[in-house]
Amino acid sequence: MNTWNPGEFQIPSKCYRPKMRWWLPGAFMDKDEIKREIEWMAEAGYGGAEIIHFFPIPSADVNPADYGRFVFGGDEWNNRMKAALEAAIPLNFQLDFTIGPLWPIATPAVMDKNDDRCTHGLHIGAAVVVGTYNGAIPVPNTIDPARPYKLVAVTAARRHSGESIGEVVTLELETAADLTFRVDDRRIDWTAPLDGEWYLFGFWSQTNGQMNDSIGAPAIDHFSKAAADAVTGFWDNRLFADPDIRALYEKNAGSLFCDSIELNATMLGGMYGATPMPVAIWSPAVLEEFRMRRGYDLTPYLPSIFVKGLYQLGAGNRTDGDSDYDFTDRSANLRIRNDFFQTLTDMFRDNHLRTIRRWANGHHMKLRYQTYGMPTELSSSLAEVDIPETESLGFHDSTDGYRIQSGAVHLYDREIYSIEVGAVMGYGYKQTWTGQDFGLLWQLHRGFAAGVNQAVLHGMSYDTSSASEHFEAMFKWPGLSLMGSRFSNEWGGRQPNSLHARALTDYIARTQYLLQIGKPKVDLAIYRYHIDGIHGAMGTELTPYEQAGFTYDFVSPCLLDLASAQIGTFEGHSVLAADGPAYRAIVVDMRKKSLTGDWRASDLPNETANQLIAFAESGLPVVVVGEAPYHVASFFGSKDKMKAKDVQLCDRIEHLLNLPTVRAVKTQEDAVAALGELSVIPAVQVQCESPLLNARRYENGISYYFIYNPSQVQAFEGEVQFTGTGNPFKLNAWDGTICPMAAVHTGSGQTTAKLRLAPNGTALIAVADEWTEALQHEEYRDMIAKGTRIIPDHWSLVVDSWTAGAHPTETKLERIELELDELRSWTHIPVLRQVSGIGRYRTSFRIEERNDTSAAVILEMGEVSDTFRVFVNGRELHGVDQIGRHISIGEYLRYGENNELEVEVATTLNNALSIFDPNRQPLDCGLIGPVEIVFGERSEYE
């Protein structure tokens, strides 16, 4: 747990700074270039880098016969990693390393794609039987007959003639039978016990053939301990074989990292978006582990797990879909699949994550992992992850998407919740820091508001000096981008706005420092149980809870079962997990079906229902929204047992709803009203219609708030009420200063202050009884200027245009000088339409002597793209707000004479690249304005 330190806020240490994803060309690297790029990242304000062995990019000076020396884990790779560690450690610049090269996880220790330690798919073959069947077990055409495959089981069930549920056929649940014991040499002689049409199924396991393209090795089985041991064994035997290099890794104490779990049950049709196939993700031990963990045999019910496309990336339905071969009871089918998915979750957690985490921790390293992508229950998986990570791409910039994991982060007491931020399809060299169109800060602010407190930028390519073979055709200015232009972004030194990176990374670091102080405090726990692996259906629109000012986490049964999930007291209220998030209430809400968007009740185990009753009886408010849960989560091995458990659950829910601290409502809007009736109010309340998002941290009686205006068009001006005793202080994340705020105290542990936030703007607020550190009294920093306005009518513009040099990594500068009578986008100035670079705008204005000491002079910048610096009379204004662009300049002025104003603007490289790429359109950039110098009166807004 971090403790407030004023020096850390002003100049944050590397551990609070954003990290950079660093794509490397295998071992084809130069040590001096490795050192230079690490030093550049450190100087630009990054605190570390995530090293990824991307594709080996052969250099022209390396003989093809020697390529084998440059593989992952080879001597050359180890030599380069040693150089990277030796460059990083003295700078306190922490390096993280992918578990294997690229992903899905693979290891040179397992190179045969038929090895049982590789990812498996379970295939289903079917034959229609009327009467007797004597023949071979049916083999589907999804099997590759040229590779080994194993018979797992044989079952049968009678076809149902009524309502159709299965996509291909519907089966009678009561007739499902395991016939595996009757198989002889892959043949069976079997007579159906009843009349009608029967289906005979053969289930075959085959490794999926999915390869890690970085090293040409197969993806490992993520449910197998033997596969995880192969990965860590390779680290021991190759990467750590040299004790000096191992000591450097351990001294660096970074993290092992794995990206999202991009596994396919089958590679038929390709990696992404293939034609949906009825092949399920599998592992050889699933049936045994299922029987042990769920208490019944999955074998007779195997047909129900084959939801076509579910186990292929981007190929089809999510877990609410029906199987090709489903049974007559849809509710039973869903719960059989729940049991299957939960078993996969348990195996992934216990066999894979735990093995790798223990190995990493044994070498002073942590495990940072994006555990989503498969049909697993995310909360349970995160029990074996030191640093959970989400991403802006997969969760579609959805705050609710990030909250699927935030409850686990907070209840497992993880200090860091990381985000891979900035991957936007088609935005390479185009994504800006500050813009509205997927601006990086817009993405990051949404994550911060949902509990994230560490950013890893996607990303930066190593500057390869040469590229041979087929890579040579792609080796064009400004260098070989290993992610191409498909995904943003190149945040390294290739783009003009990289020259301003330090101002942005300082801002992120100060914000992350505050969001890592003490413990999180969250208003609501919202119960949600849905095994979907990743939920892209959650939108970016504010929910009714967010509109009302509530913060919340999603919680699942395994989280409510933790020892820390007990009723305690915080700030005079009964709360859940008082030493952690201190939830003021639990909301049992419905969830959207991933296929249709319709609302349905989450499944609820009886044990969790009993916990809700105990919580409510201990004084914790509970609100049930919409249809109350009436299904347990498990099948329990039979329809009768399942129904009996459902009856028990309905009885438990009825008991719950009759408790005095419980309310049942129809909608989320009604839930907000019910929470008010139960005296549950948000920690941050807004006294106007413009909603704000927030995150709260708490330490030693001081509340720290991250406040965010999620609108991209409307500024916020209004009163904000903060929970906490004492006075509010504004902590400026742009320049590190701290200012007291004028406030009104209600006497009930609430403090009210006036606040102004630009669209996408943020504020950091501390509420404390006293503040012992030095304070700044800059009353006019965020005031709304109301007085006389000066609008410069002439500007001199000097542009250093970035253009292609003689070598793909060489950028040359060409100077363009212009005189402007008005400000406008470079795209509207013919000579600048396809120009990227640094533009320096200069103008002058005169201010007469002023005797009014209560007045201030404000520079209002208007529209700028992308980043900027401001100079007044030759003095730079440090820490200017790149979002609000509302800058106090009074102390820099010379009264009674002319004043010189210079604005330096840095763009992305997009417009210059549009010359070479007809599919890339020039985008507005430069100082667009309007720019005004305004004499204002003191404002009541901070």
Side-chain angles (χ1 to χ4, degrees):
M1 183 178 74
N2 296 317
T3 300
W4 173 260
N5 181 328
E8 285 286 8
F9 179 70
Q10 292 165 2
I11 307 176
S13 298
K14 292 287 198 307
C15 62
Y16 302 112
R17 294 188 166 276
K19 293 176 179 286
M20 180 76 81
R21 176 171 286 191
W22 193 16
W23 299 301
L24 302 184
F28 293 94
M29 294 179 288
D30 178 81
K31 292 182 182 179
D32 289 339
E33 178 61 20
I34 290 172
K35 185 173 186 292
R36 185 193 71 80
E37 295 189 25
I38 287 174
E39 290 174 346
W40 182 90
M41 285 186 278
E43 182 64 24
Y46 296 95
E50 171 193 301
I51 282 184
I52 298 177
H53 180 291
F54 208 78
F55 297 114
I57 311 295
S59 299
D61 59 350
V62 176
N63 189 316
D66 295 330
Y67 286 171
R69 295 172 35 223
F70 293 83
V71 298
F72 177 78
D75 291 343
E76 298 292 342
W77 174 258
N78 289 339
N79 183 269
R80 302 306 188 272
M81 293 303 97
K82 181 179 181 182
L85 288 163
E86 288 175 339
I89 289 172
L91 298 174
N92 198 26
F93 184 87
Q94 192 174 69
L95 298 178
D96 294 348
F97 301 86
T98 51
I99 295 171
L102 207 59
W103 40 79
I105 297 177
T107 174
V110 179
M111 295 299 292
D112 180 2
K113 64 182 178 182
N114 297 317
D115 192 307
D116 261 359
R117 293 171 294 178
C118 299
T119 302
H120 287 69
L122 186 68
H123 303 247
I124 182 170
V128 179
V129 177
V130 177
T132 298
Y133 180 90
N134 188 346
I137 305 301
V139 178
N141 59 9
T142 55
I143 284 285
D144 179 359
R147 295 197 297 116
Y149 54 99
K150 298 177 181 178
L151 181 65
V152 173
V154 177
T155 72
R158 188 166 67 173
R159 179 173 186 168
H160 176 62
S161 59
E163 178 191 3
S164 178
I165 293 177
E167 296 293 330
V168 173
V169 66
T170 302
L171 307 166
E172 294 177 353
L173 180 65
E174 294 77 9
T175 65
D178 179 7
L179 304 179
T180 311
F181 69 97
R182 300 178 66 99
V183 174
D184 183 15
D185 193 25
R186 294 190 174 187
R187 296 179 62 84
I188 191 169
D189 184 357
W190 173 73
T191 300
L194 298 172
D195 293 339
E197 187 176 88
W198 288 70
Y199 271 71
L200 179 74
F201 298 102
F203 300 95
W204 305 86
S205 176
Q206 185 176 55
T207 57
N208 70 348
Q210 184 172 352
M211 305 298 286
N212 178 301
D213 293 333
S214 179
I215 58 169
I220 65 159
D221 183 349
H222 285 49
F223 310 103
S224 161
K225 187 177 186 304
D229 285 337
V231 172
T232 59
F234 184 80
W235 275 80
D236 284 328
N237 298 329
R238 291 297 303 154
L239 297 162
F240 280 5
D242 183 333
D244 292 335
I245 295 180
R246 182 178 69 247
L248 288 172
Y249 274 101
E250 293 177 347
K251 183 176 182 180
N252 170 70
S255 294
L256 286 186
F257 170 73
C258 184
D259 199 84
S260 52
I261 308 168
E262 301 178 14
L263 291 177
N264 279 326
T266 176
M267 290 302 293
L268 286 176
M271 178 68 177
Y272 296 101
T275 300
M277 298 284 177
V279 183
I281 202 81
W282 195 250
S283 182
V286 165
L287 288 179
E288 178 184 350
E289 295 239 16
F290 187 100
R291 191 178 297 109
M292 177 183 67
R293 296 174 185 272
R294 306 280 84 84
Y296 69 96
D297 187 5
L298 176 63
T299 305
Y301 312 109
L302 279 172
S304 66
I305 71 172
F306 289 87
V307 179
K308 188 178 290 183
L310 173 62
Y311 313 92
Q312 297 164 259
L313 292 171
N317 298 334
R318 291 301 179 191
T319 51
D320 286 325
D322 293 318
S323 173
D324 270 15
Y325 304 97
D326 247 337
F327 295 106
T328 46
D329 189 319
R330 179 173 275 120
S331 177
N333 297 329
L334 291 173
R335 286 183 271 183
I336 291 169
R337 285 194 285 275
N338 272 354
D339 288 341
F340 174 57
F341 300 148
Q342 188 61 57
T343 301
L344 293 181
T345 301
D346 295 344
M347 295 174 68
F348 174 57
R349 180 194 63 217
D350 297 347
N351 298 335
H352 178 81
L353 293 174
R354 184 176 297 161
T355 300
I356 296 174
R357 182 190 188 194
R358 287 178 174 176
W359 182 90
N361 292 172
H363 292 283
H364 306 162
M365 303 170 77
K366 294 182 178 180
L367 179 61
R368 176 165 61 89
Y369 210 120
Q370 298 175 0
T371 58
Y372 42 85
M374 296 185 298
T376 53
E377 204 286 301
L378 295 184
S379 299
S380 179
S381 299
L382 293 181
E384 292 294 342
V385 174
D386 297 305
I387 302 176
E389 184 162 287
T390 186
E391 62 173 271
S392 57
L393 174 65
F395 289 93
H396 297 187
D397 296 295
S398 168
T399 51
D400 265 8
Y402 303 145
R403 292 186 181 105
I404 292 177
Q405 296 181 91
S406 66
V409 172
H410 295 155
L411 286 168
Y412 287 135
D413 198 21
R414 301 294 185 254
E415 293 184 0
I416 303 297
Y417 183 18
S418 186
I419 184 171
E420 173 199 338
V421 63
V424 183
M425 190 173 294
Y427 276 65
Y429 295 109
K430 174 180 174 181
Q431 185 180 22
T432 63
W433 281 100
T434 63
Q436 295 184 354
D437 184 20
F438 289 106
L440 187 88
L441 290 186
W442 174 81
Q443 292 189 304
L444 190 52
H445 289 161
R446 297 183 66 82
F448 286 158
V452 165
N453 58 8
Q454 174 180 278
V456 181
L457 273 62
H458 181 288
M460 174 180 133
S461 296
Y462 172 88
D463 276 335
T464 304
S465 59
S466 68
S468 63
E469 299 186 339
H470 68 279
F471 293 101
E472 187 173 1
M474 298 180 281
F475 192 30
K476 300 176 181 179
W477 182 72
L480 189 62
S481 181
L482 298 184
M483 289 296 294
S485 61
R486 186 181 183 192
F487 288 104
S488 60
N489 206 20
E490 290 286 352
W491 295 105
R494 299 181 182 185
Q495 299 207 73
N497 57 5
S498 67
L499 299 181
H500 295 169
R502 184 65 189 230
L504 283 302
T505 56
D506 283 352
Y507 164 79
I508 295 171
R510 293 187 185 104
T511 302
Q512 292 186 166
Y513 169 69
L514 180 133
L515 290 172
Q516 294 178 31
I517 291 173
K519 297 289 185 181
K521 298 299 175 185
V522 184
D523 296 326
L524 307 175
I526 297 184
Y527 177 80
R528 181 182 184 276
Y529 181 72
H530 185 200
I531 300 180
D532 48 12
I534 186 170
H535 202 301
M538 291 177 167
T540 57
E541 296 298 318
L542 298 187
T543 67
Y545 304 113
E546 290 175 318
Q547 291 174 346
F550 283 108
T551 58
Y552 55 95
D553 291 333
F554 289 123
V555 297
S556 62
C558 70
L559 298 179
L560 295 179
D561 198 38
L562 292 172
S564 59
Q566 301 294 324
I567 301 300
T569 302
F570 177 69
E571 296 181 324
H573 301 284
S574 292
V575 298
L576 179 65
D579 294 334
Y583 302 118
R584 289 280 310 277
I586 290 184
V587 177
V588 181
D589 206 344
M590 301 178 75
R591 67 165 179 85
K592 283 187 177 181
K593 294 182 181 180
S594 55
L595 292 177
T596 64
D598 298 334
W599 291 92
R600 62 151 288 177
S602 289
D603 295 333
L604 184 72
N606 276 304
E607 295 79 4
T608 306
N610 289 331
Q611 289 170 320
L612 294 176
I613 291 170
F615 294 155
E617 289 177 339
S618 297
L620 187 73
V622 177
V623 177
V624 180
V625 184
E627 187 176 58
Y630 59 94
H631 282 163
V632 293
S634 175
F635 179 60
F636 292 102
S638 75
K639 189 173 178 179
D640 288 343
K641 290 181 181 178
M642 179 190 78
K643 287 187 173 182
K645 294 287 186 179
D646 282 349
V647 170
Q648 293 176 15
L649 176 62
C650 291
D651 176 70
R652 297 286 78 202
I653 293 297
E654 182 180 359
H655 180 67
L656 175 71
L657 294 177
N658 286 322
L659 296 174
T661 58
V662 179
R663 299 289 185 273
V665 298
K666 293 183 178 180
T667 68
Q668 292 179 343
E669 290 81 1
D670 295 337
V672 170
L675 289 165
E677 294 171 4
L678 292 165
S679 300
V680 178
I681 60 174
V684 174
Q685 298 181 76
V686 174
Q687 307 302 320
C688 71
E689 294 183 358
S690 299
L692 297 176
L693 300 182
N694 74 91
R696 183 188 184 192
R697 308 287 294 194
Y698 182 86
E699 182 206 31
N700 296 331
I702 301 177
S703 290
Y704 301 89
Y705 293 96
F706 169 81
I707 310 294
Y708 171 49
N709 176 11
S711 174
Q712 296 205 62
V713 296
Q714 183 177 352
F716 172 88
E717 294 178 9
E719 291 186 346
V720 181
Q721 182 172 286
F722 302 96
T723 297
T725 59
N727 301 305
F729 299 86
K730 190 171 184 182
L731 287 59
N732 192 304
W734 289 105
D735 65 8
T737 59
I738 301 172
C739 307
M741 302 173 69
V744 175
H745 305 284
T746 65
S748 59
Q750 304 289 324
T751 299
T752 300
K754 296 181 183 295
L755 190 64
R756 180 183 189 274
L757 288 174
N760 194 34
T762 66
L764 305 181
I765 309 294
V767 180
D769 288 330
E770 60 179 353
W771 200 271
T772 58
E773 291 87 26
L775 299 175
Q776 305 256 337
H777 292 271
E778 299 179 285
E779 295 92 343
Y780 312 117
R781 179 183 304 278
D782 295 309
M783 60 158 284
I784 304 172
K786 301 177 180 178
T788 305
R789 293 174 180 263
I790 296 175
I791 303 176
D793 58 5
H794 186 83
W795 295 82
S796 295
L797 171 59
V798 177
V799 174
D800 287 333
S801 171
W802 288 34
T803 62
H807 187 271
T809 60
E810 178 188 348
T811 296
K812 65 180 182 179
L813 303 182
E814 295 180 354
R815 178 149 293 187
I816 302 171
E817 299 185 8
L818 299 170
E819 299 296 322
L820 303 176
D821 292 330
E822 64 174 348
L823 294 171
R824 54 192 183 275
S825 169
W826 290 10
T827 56
H828 297 151
I829 303 173
V831 71
L832 299 180
R833 176 170 170 76
Q834 290 182 294
V835 167
S836 298
I838 305 293
R840 296 178 179 87
Y841 296 77
R842 294 183 177 89
T843 192
S844 63
F845 58 93
R846 183 179 178 86
I847 295 183
E848 300 301 332
E849 295 286 351
R850 294 175 62 84
N851 297 319
D852 185 359
T853 58
S854 68
V857 183
I858 304 299
L859 174 65
E860 294 187 344
M861 294 284 294
E863 185 178 352
V864 186
S865 184
D866 173 28
T867 56
F868 66 93
R869 299 164 67 195
V870 176
F871 302 81
V872 176
N873 294 322
R875 297 169 60 194
E876 182 177 359
L877 283 66
H878 293 285
V880 294
D881 185 341
Q882 301 278 325
I883 297 293
R885 301 188 289 275
H886 187 84
I887 306 161
S888 176
I889 62 173
E891 66 180 282
Y892 298 86
L893 297 177
R894 298 192 295 253
Y895 292 93
E897 55 183 294
N898 283 344
N899 291 269
E900 302 296 325
L901 171 65
E902 177 181 334
V903 180
E904 177 186 280
V905 179
T907 75
T908 68
L909 209 57
N910 176 77
N911 291 6
L913 290 173
S914 69
I915 297 172
F916 310 103
D917 183 357
N919 297 316
R920 188 184 288 271
Q921 296 300 311
L923 301 174
D924 285 340
C925 64
L927 179 58
I928 301 171
V931 172
E932 300 180 353
I933 298 96
V934 187
F935 302 94
E937 299 175 356
R938 179 172 180 173
S939 170
E940 62 184 351
Y941 290 96
E942 296 289 341

